[in-house]
Amino acid sequence: MTFSIEQPPVVNEGSSGTSPRIVDVDALRAVALLLILIVNIAFFSSGYSFHLVPDPTYDSWADQGVRWLVELLFTMKAYLLFSFLFGYSFTLQLDSAARRGVDVAPRFRRRLAGLFVLGILHAVLLFQGDILTTYALLGLVLLAMREVRVGTALRVAVLLTGGIGFVLALAAVGGVQLVTDPAAALAAGQQSTEALQGGIGSVVTEHVRQLPAMFGTLLVQGPLAFSAFLFGYAAGRRRLLTDVVGNGQLLRRVQQLGYPIGLAGAVIFASGGGTANLTGLTVGVLTAPLLAAAYAATVLQFFQTDRGRRVVAVLAPAGRMSLSNYLGQSLLCVLVFTGVGMGLAGAVAPPVVVLIAVAVYGVQLAASAAWMARFRYGPLEWLLRAWTEQRWPRLRATDPF
């Protein structure tokens, strides 16, 4: 791969007209959106996924191969990448507040409250695997740590990851099983799939019924997400993404460390049954952050090439309205897979499900480009900003200040 070292980081004027946007960050966020969709769409296409068992209807080598590849390459890596960017963006908000001489805390708390409400609505109406409520709660902790040094943030992040891995390893050694009765799990999966095939009442009831089980998942996902927040916070404090070329040696080291260890761990994780097996899950917890970091380093370096710049131009609008697109993914998947729309839950094989994910993402890229050409914010970004600032910000790109 050839890198154009003469090309400086590309920035666009921020929506407020006072602070720059780093389009590489927007484009990387759009990449994370695709990875998240490829992972999450399995939970829309079949009710079995929430019960940690595969749909027995689709058991061909192609079906198993696609599931294995998704576990290998994307599961546990996608949301860590997105969480890293949440932490990084937090430092940009701190910098913006400092330039304007305002206290970031009240605004950020209002923003988190808005995210929490959106997350609750998302979990009940669209997708019980929502991450926004977790982000909102963990964001309060991040806010409390906004004065910590980079070294402290990194040590806490490593300790969190290692601590979760240690607890899971103890549980695995103790013989704890996540799926204690496979037959009961399969029966529950069939019941959930039938519920998804129903109308809006059936779908919402199923979402609410599954929420307690999601709280257990967050006991692992939450600390790992916060660990990624802190890595993003550290990267933001060091301005890592504002000078990708200048930090090229560091990014190459991340790749050299992250790919061999991360992929080895991912093979163990995927081959051991993914999140359904504690041993594989333990290995995944300890190695997925390294693979996610290697992905980010690779993509960022690619963005510095001439071809990468063209890709950035395509991706960045979707990343600028990532909240709208994250919730939009769920809405589109509900319309495709549940009885609210086409009712394809349980009727589509895993390879086709992934193709549908790519198609949905393509629609979002086109819609995002068209929207951002006319407006300054995505629709939900604008609504959240209005709540955060307690005023109606200008929406159209041509609106006067």
Side-chain angles (χ1 to χ4, degrees), residues 63-381:
D63 300 329
Q64 295 180 33
V66 167
R67 291 192 194 103
W68 188 82
L69 285 173
V70 170
E71 295 275 4
L72 175 78
L73 298 175
F74 306 129
T75 302
M76 294 188 68
K77 297 83 176 175
Y79 84 89
L80 289 178
L81 179 56
F82 209 76
S83 301
F84 169 86
L85 292 169
F86 184 94
Y88 191 93
S89 296
F90 175 67
T91 67
L92 301 182
Q93 294 175 56
L94 291 177
D95 291 344
S96 177
R99 282 193 298 270
R100 290 179 291 139
V102 300
D103 183 6
V104 72
R107 287 167 50 89
F108 195 65
R109 290 192 190 101
R110 284 197 297 270
R111 180 178 179 84
L112 294 176
L115 275 181
F116 187 82
V117 172
L118 288 174
I120 292 294
L121 294 174
H122 182 220
V124 172
L125 299 177
L126 300 176
F127 180 47
Q128 61 268 48
D130 168 77
I131 195 68
L132 297 180
T133 50
T134 302
Y135 277 16
L137 296 174
L138 294 177
L140 292 173
V141 185
L142 184 64
L143 179 64
M145 295 181 64
R146 64 187 180 277
E147 300 295 337
V148 302
R149 297 180 177 179
V150 168
T152 301
L154 291 175
R155 284 190 290 272
V156 173
V158 171
L159 287 173
L160 271 175
T161 302
I164 291 296
F166 179 72
V167 171
L168 291 175
L170 287 180
V173 171
V176 175
Q177 298 291 325
L178 296 177
V179 181
T180 56
D181 187 345
L186 287 170
Q190 178 63 31
Q191 180 183 356
S192 294
T193 301
E194 292 172 354
L196 293 176
Q197 293 168 345
I200 184 65
S202 175
V203 171
V204 169
T205 299
E206 174 64 15
H207 290 169
V208 173
R209 189 173 71 87
Q210 289 294 331
L211 285 179
M214 292 308 302
F215 295 144
T217 301
L218 293 178
L219 293 177
V220 174
Q221 192 179 59
L224 288 180
F226 189 72
S227 175
F229 281 8
L230 292 177
F231 281 117
Y233 170 87
R237 284 305 194 194
R238 292 288 175 85
R239 305 296 188 270
L240 179 63
L241 304 189
T242 60
D243 186 11
V244 174
V245 174
N247 288 290
Q249 184 176 2
L250 173 60
L251 294 176
R252 286 189 290 273
R253 287 177 179 174
V254 169
Q255 291 172 296
Q256 292 164 1
L257 180 68
Y259 277 123
I261 298 177
L263 285 173
V267 169
I268 296 172
F269 171 72
S271 301
T275 53
N277 179 276
L278 269 177
T279 300
L281 182 58
T282 301
V283 174
V285 162
L286 296 174
T287 61
L290 292 171
L291 187 53
Y295 286 168
T298 301
V299 171
L300 286 169
Q301 290 182 88
F302 168 69
F303 285 166
Q304 310 315 304
T305 68
D306 292 337
R307 181 179 297 177
R309 281 290 152 221
R310 292 192 290 272
V311 173
V312 165
V314 173
L315 295 178
R320 288 180 62 189
M321 49 186 290
S322 57
L323 175 62
S324 296
N325 279 322
Y326 171 67
L327 297 177
Q329 289 174 354
S330 295
L331 176 60
L332 290 172
C333 286
V334 164
L335 294 176
V336 170
F337 291 106
T338 75
V340 177
M342 299 170 64
L344 295 181
V348 184
V352 180
V353 170
V354 172
L355 291 178
I356 292 174
V358 173
V360 167
Y361 186 71
V363 169
Q364 290 192 306
L365 288 181
S368 297
W371 180 277
M372 296 309 300
R374 299 180 60 191
F375 301 105
R376 301 176 64 83
Y377 311 101
L380 290 176
E381 283 77 8

